[in-house]
Amino acid sequence: MSTRFTTAVKSPWFLITGVIIAILSLVAALTGSVPELSKSRTKATSLVAEPVNKQTVTDFALPLNAPIDQMPHTDGGFYCDTGMIEWLRRFGTEVPPYQRISIRSAAEDGSMLVVDNLRAVDVNRYEPQPVMHFQCPDGGNADAAILELRLDRDRKAQELVTDSPASTRPFAFNLEPGEQGSLELRMTSDDTYSYSGRIVADVSAGTTKETVSLPLNGEDAGKFDRIGLGKYARLVVAPGRTKNQFQCALYPLGFTKWHPTNESFDDLFDCSAEKVRSVLAEIGRSS
């Protein structure tokens, strides 16, 4: 028996068979782990963010003498179309009323990605020029975490947890690998001044943290420019049903679309370019 075993061990076929078995065992052991090793794991750089505002849902600050009677008529009913947006960008400054940002974890495996401490940085405050507020209305909001950021006070965003602006909590958004979410950032301030700057957030994965700039809608995706309208913020002009016909809202003193109070007011009326200029002149003469 011993002699036969010794002879078999010395046989080249025994050695070849042993090598084949070892290779097959190694392949079988690695087959399950190779796909796992190839998956990208969570890092602070796994965050993918992009602005998702609708192109035709935005606001503009126009000079008081802008030739609005020459504005092309919209084919979108009471909403702005591409032609009107192009005209508004040529004569005014785009000032989105909010910033909608899509966020996603590009990781396929690993820990949770945490996005928090969203804030305004490199903020400059400056005196605004007299301008009118032209609004391209929104047809409705998508589901999103809604954040409020006061540029003239604490410049760190707070998440709104109910319909009441007074009910807020510190913002934090957790993303599992491959998960995505949506943010709606509402920047507010006293209309007395204009503000420009950037929006950043901290992104953490495990013990690693990085600060990233978030891309924004508007003329410069790297920064925001929120123009204070002063007393002229009382008048809001929006597209109307025919050429040289607009929808207007004139708000009481102390209440505007950009500087709301707890009251509600939304009394729209038809107005021509001449009527818009007349109302702006009247507001200009008021104290």
Side-chain angles (χ1 to χ4, degrees), residues 242-276:
T242 61
K243 183 175 176 59
N244 196 23
Q245 190 74 36
F246 303 96
Q247 290 263 291
C248 290
L250 181 61
Y251 293 89
L253 287 171
F255 175 76
T256 70
K257 279 286 189 181
W258 283 13
H259 190 195
T261 66
N262 291 330
E263 305 173 40
S264 62
F265 182 88
D266 199 12
D267 189 10
L268 293 172
F269 59 93
D270 291 334
C271 53
S272 64
E274 292 74 18
K275 178 65 174 177
V276 171

Side-chain angles (χ1 to χ4, degrees), residues 53-59 85 94 96-98 100 136-139:
N53 278 24
K54 302 171 188 174
Q55 182 184 13
T56 54
V57 178
T58 187
D59 285 8
I85 291 289
E94 186 174 0
Y98 50 73
R100 284 184 183 150
C136 293
D138 189 352

Side-chain angles (χ1 to χ4, degrees), residues 211-245:
T211 298
V212 300
S213 292
L214 295 180
L216 306 177
N217 289 275
E219 296 174 2
D220 186 345
K223 70 171 189 176
F224 66 83
D225 192 359
R226 192 178 189 285
I227 297 177
L229 298 173
K231 59 186 178 182
Y232 294 100
R234 290 179 54 202
L235 178 67
V236 179
V237 186
R241 50 175 63 93
T242 61
K243 183 175 176 59
N244 196 23
Q245 190 74 36

Side-chain angles (χ1 to χ4, degrees), residues 39-43 107-113 175-177:
K39 288 184 177 181
S40 60
R41 297 185 65 80
T42 305
K43 299 177 290 187
E108 299 173 293
D109 192 20
S111 62
M112 192 174 294
L113 193 67
L175 293 169
E176 296 284 358

Side-chain angles (χ1 to χ4, degrees), residues 82-219:
T82 302
M84 181 174 284
I85 291 289
E86 291 175 353
W87 190 95
L88 289 164
R89 284 178 174 155
R90 186 164 73 250
F91 286 94
T93 301
E94 186 174 0
V95 190
Y98 50 73
Q99 294 286 348
R100 284 184 183 150
I101 305 169
S102 171
I103 57 174
R104 176 174 62 88
S105 172
E108 299 173 293
D109 192 20
S111 62
M112 192 174 294
L113 193 67
V114 180
V115 184
D116 62 2
N117 196 22
L118 192 148
R119 59 202 184 275
V121 298
D122 300 336
V123 177
N124 294 311
R125 189 182 77 171
Y126 58 96
E127 296 282 349
Q129 297 296 315
V131 288
M132 78 171 77
H133 179 187
F134 194 94
Q135 183 179 71
C136 293
D138 189 352
N141 294 341
D143 290 336
I146 299 177
L147 313 179
E148 184 180 68
L149 193 157
R150 288 292 308 229
L151 295 171
D152 54 345
R153 298 179 188 173
D154 181 7
R155 291 169 181 166
K156 185 174 180 179
Q158 296 287 315
E159 183 176 359
L160 300 180
V161 292
T162 68
D163 292 335
S164 170
S167 299
T168 62
R169 64 186 175 198
F171 163 71
F173 206 114
N174 300 326
L175 293 169
E176 296 284 358
E179 187 179 9
Q180 66 180 33
S182 183
L183 310 178
E184 181 177 303
L185 177 61
R186 301 175 181 177
M187 288 181 280
T188 62
S189 66
D190 188 327
D191 287 320
T192 305
Y193 294 98
S194 296
Y195 296 85
S196 64
R198 296 186 300 117
I199 298 298
V200 302
D202 291 338
V203 183
S204 305
T207 58
T208 304
K209 178 185 290 187
E210 290 194 15
T211 298
V212 300
S213 292
L214 295 180
L216 306 177
N217 289 275
E219 296 174 2

